[in-house]
């Protein structure tokens, strides 16, 4: 029969707790915060805030957190909750209570997943582009468990963007103006390759405005490479998302889209209907009212520009500047 020596006993006493701690750490590292289906706290003043993975969505989620805490809510941070295919089911199941979203993309997702809709009705809802039409139709696809509050004026949408030099040269204010130019001048246009065939891409611009373009694909989603091509004059126009900081810093001009070729993508709070309260609505409406496209560009610049602030620091600075760091009415 084997007898433990003092050294064996010491090793067991020393190593076993360390091994257990390591196992606990590994388990914690694998823990999914969005795996607590049905755990929603019925207290309307306790809010779990999630967000999409993109930085802009995380910044807005952090702004929600800061403003809610300033108004006496107990808030749990579950930002960076994944894609819409992940965080909306989590919102329905009780893992999170509130997320910022983009109203046009939200409409298309909910229409495609709503039970009982015919293909024609899904196509009808998915084709809506104006903010007014999307707002009006959204309750029809939200179901009994979701609710949206007032959208912000700021929209992160596709665009036809030109340089200030081009805008001055041809007196460009809207896509209609550029379409006029395209009848006699070559208008080169850069965007992701799928823009060539998307309904709201090249086909939509020609159908709605008569805009004829020499299409130049570049799959950086309106990033720096596309911006460089635009500012250098190698392309006439480009699809730059409207909350991109370079629109301001590079002196670019987003042309008006009066025929709503591009779907509105205004920031909108989406929440579990069971968490709805006049107090929650008041706080989020106050936040949304200040989220203009210019403010969204500024927020994105704070995080991705020269200062490279953390999401928490950028949100805190903005909330303080907007006087949202204290209770409403105080």
């Amino acid at each position: 029969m084997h007898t433990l020596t003092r050294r064996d006993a010491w090793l067991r006493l020393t190593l076993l707790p360390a091994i257990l701690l390591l196992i606990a750490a590994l388990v914690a590292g694998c823990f999914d915060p969005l795996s607590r289906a049905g755990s929603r706290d019925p207290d309307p003043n306790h809010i779990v805030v999630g967000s999409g993975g993109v930085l802009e969505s995380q910044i807005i989620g952090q702004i929600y957190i800061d403003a809610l805490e300033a108004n006496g809510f107990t808030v749990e941070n579950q930002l960076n909750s994944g894609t819409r295919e992940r965080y909306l089911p989590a919102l329905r199941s009780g893992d999170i209570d509130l997320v910022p979203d983009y109203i046009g993309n939200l409409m298309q997702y909910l229409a495609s997943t709503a039970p009982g809709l015919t293909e024609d009705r899904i196509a009808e809802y998915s084709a809506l582009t104006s903010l007014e039409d999307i707002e009006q139709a959204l309750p029809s696809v939200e179901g009994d468990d979701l609710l949206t509050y007032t959208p912000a004026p700021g929209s992160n949408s596709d665009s036809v963007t030109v340089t200030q030099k081009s805008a001055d040269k041809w007196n460009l204010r809207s896509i209609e103006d550029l379409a006029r130019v395209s009848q006699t001048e070559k208008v080169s246009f850069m965007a992701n390759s799928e823009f060539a065939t998307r309904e709201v891409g090249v086909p939509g611009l020609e159908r709605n405005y008569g805009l004829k373009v020499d299409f130049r694909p570049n799959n950086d989603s309106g990033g720096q490479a596309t911006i460089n091509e635009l500012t250098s004059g190698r392309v006439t126009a480009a699809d730059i998302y409207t909350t991109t900081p370079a629109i301001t810093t590079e002196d670019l001009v987003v042309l008006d889209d009066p025929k709503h070729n591009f779907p509105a993508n205004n920031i909108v709070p989406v929440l579990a209907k069971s968490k709805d309260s006049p107090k929650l609505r008041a706080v989020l409406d106050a936040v949304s009212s200040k989220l203009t496209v210019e403010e969204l560009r500024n927020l994105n610049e704070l995080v991705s520009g020269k200062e490279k602030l953390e999401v928490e620091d950028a949100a805190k600075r903005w909330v303080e500047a907007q006087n949202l760091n204290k209770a409403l009415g105080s």
Side-chain angles (χ1 to χ4, degrees), residues 104 108 128-130 134 155 157-158 198 200 260-265:
Q108 292 188 7
L128 298 176
T129 55
S130 76
I134 294 171
S155 172
S157 61
D158 295 276
R198 282 175 59 201
V200 300
H260 307 293
N261 178 76
F262 300 117
N265 247 336

Side-chain angles (χ1 to χ4, degrees), residues 19 98 125 194 211 322 327:
I19 292 169
L98 167 69
Y125 284 145
E194 65 267 19
L211 176 61
Q322 302 297 330

Side-chain angles (χ1 to χ4, degrees), residues 40-109:
R40 175 166 289 128
D41 186 340
D43 181 0
N45 290 311
H46 178 258
I47 305 294
V48 181
V49 179
S51 78
V54 298
L55 281 176
E56 182 176 86
S57 182
Q58 292 182 55
I59 297 168
I60 298 163
Q62 186 63 52
I63 287 171
Y64 287 175
I65 290 172
D66 292 351
L68 289 170
E69 288 180 339
N71 282 272
F73 286 86
T74 301
V75 187
E76 187 176 338
N77 182 332
Q78 294 293 350
L79 301 182
N80 195 11
S81 312
T83 64
R84 187 172 292 106
E85 290 75 13
R86 180 162 170 73
Y87 63 70
L88 285 182
L91 185 61
R92 291 189 188 278
S93 69
D95 295 333
I96 54 179
D97 302 317
L98 167 69
V99 294
D101 212 323
Y102 299 90
I103 197 166
N105 292 343
L106 174 68
M107 179 72 209
Q108 292 188 7
Y109 176 85

Side-chain angles (χ1 to χ4, degrees), residues 149 277-287 328:
Y149 284 161
S277 71
K279 182 181 177 183
L280 181 63
R281 181 183 287 270
V283 174
L284 294 178
D285 280 356
V287 169
L328 295 181

Side-chain angles (χ1 to χ4, degrees), residues 157-169:
S157 61
D158 295 276
S159 75
V160 174
T161 294
V162 298
T163 62
Q164 185 66 59
K165 181 179 179 180
S166 294
D168 292 340
K169 175 183 177 181

Side-chain angles (χ1 to χ4, degrees), residues 30-304:
C30 297
F31 174 68
D32 184 351
L34 301 184
S35 63
R36 300 171 293 131
S39 64
R40 175 166 289 128
D41 186 340
D43 181 0
N45 290 311
H46 178 258
I47 305 294
V48 181
V49 179
S51 78
V54 298
L55 281 176
E56 182 176 86
S57 182
Q58 292 182 55
I59 297 168
I60 298 163
Q62 186 63 52
I63 287 171
Y64 287 175
I65 290 172
D66 292 351
L68 289 170
E69 288 180 339
N71 282 272
F73 286 86
T74 301
V75 187
E76 187 176 338
N77 182 332
Q78 294 293 350
L79 301 182
N80 195 11
S81 312
T83 64
R84 187 172 292 106
E85 290 75 13
R86 180 162 170 73
Y87 63 70
L88 285 182
L91 185 61
R92 291 189 188 278
S93 69
D95 295 333
I96 54 179
D97 302 317
L98 167 69
V99 294
D101 212 323
Y102 299 90
I103 197 166
N105 292 343
L106 174 68
M107 179 72 209
Q108 292 188 7
Y109 176 85
L110 291 178
S112 68
T113 57
L117 289 186
T118 64
E119 288 188 10
D120 287 346
R121 183 53 62 88
I122 292 172
E124 177 186 336
Y125 284 145
S126 298
L128 298 176
T129 55
S130 76
L131 177 60
E132 181 180 0
D133 289 344
I134 294 171
E135 273 194 279
Q136 186 175 352
L138 200 53
S140 301
V141 295
E142 288 173 344
D144 296 331
D145 52 354
L146 297 184
L147 182 67
T148 48
Y149 284 161
T150 306
S155 172
N156 185 352
S157 61
D158 295 276
S159 75
V160 174
T161 294
V162 298
T163 62
Q164 185 66 59
K165 181 179 179 180
S166 294
D168 292 340
K169 175 183 177 181
W170 288 314
N171 193 26
L172 303 178
R173 292 185 176 84
S174 75
I175 302 173
E176 290 174 317
D177 298 327
L178 188 61
R180 168 180 47 79
V181 173
S182 74
Q183 306 309 308
T184 57
E185 304 270 355
K186 179 180 177 181
V187 172
S188 51
F189 190 95
M190 182 164 281
N192 283 1
S193 54
E194 65 267 19
F195 197 88
T197 55
R198 282 175 59 201
E199 276 302 304
V200 300
V202 172
L205 292 172
E206 185 165 2
R207 181 179 62 253
N208 289 318
Y209 292 105
L211 176 61
K212 300 180 184 300
V213 301
D214 172 28
F215 184 70
R216 311 279 184 87
N218 188 357
N219 293 318
D220 75 335
S221 299
Q224 194 58 51
T226 293
I227 292 166
N228 290 345
E229 292 295 294
L230 181 60
T231 56
S232 69
R234 287 189 287 270
V235 295
T236 313
D239 177 22
I240 309 293
Y241 293 125
T242 50
T243 62
T244 302
I247 291 172
T248 300
T249 60
E250 299 283 354
D251 202 19
L252 303 179
V253 177
V254 176
L255 298 182
D256 292 338
D257 179 18
K259 295 184 179 179
H260 307 293
N261 178 76
F262 300 117
N265 247 336
N266 300 64
I267 306 296
V268 64
V270 190
L271 63 145
K273 189 175 290 187
S274 61
K275 289 291 185 174
D276 180 33
S277 71
K279 182 181 177 183
L280 181 63
R281 181 183 287 270
V283 174
L284 294 178
D285 280 356
V287 169
S288 292
S289 69
K290 297 179 181 294
L291 287 173
T292 64
V293 68
E294 293 80 11
E295 292 296 336
L296 290 169
R297 287 175 195 160
N298 292 339
L299 282 164
N300 287 327
E301 174 66 14
L302 287 175
V303 174
S304 61

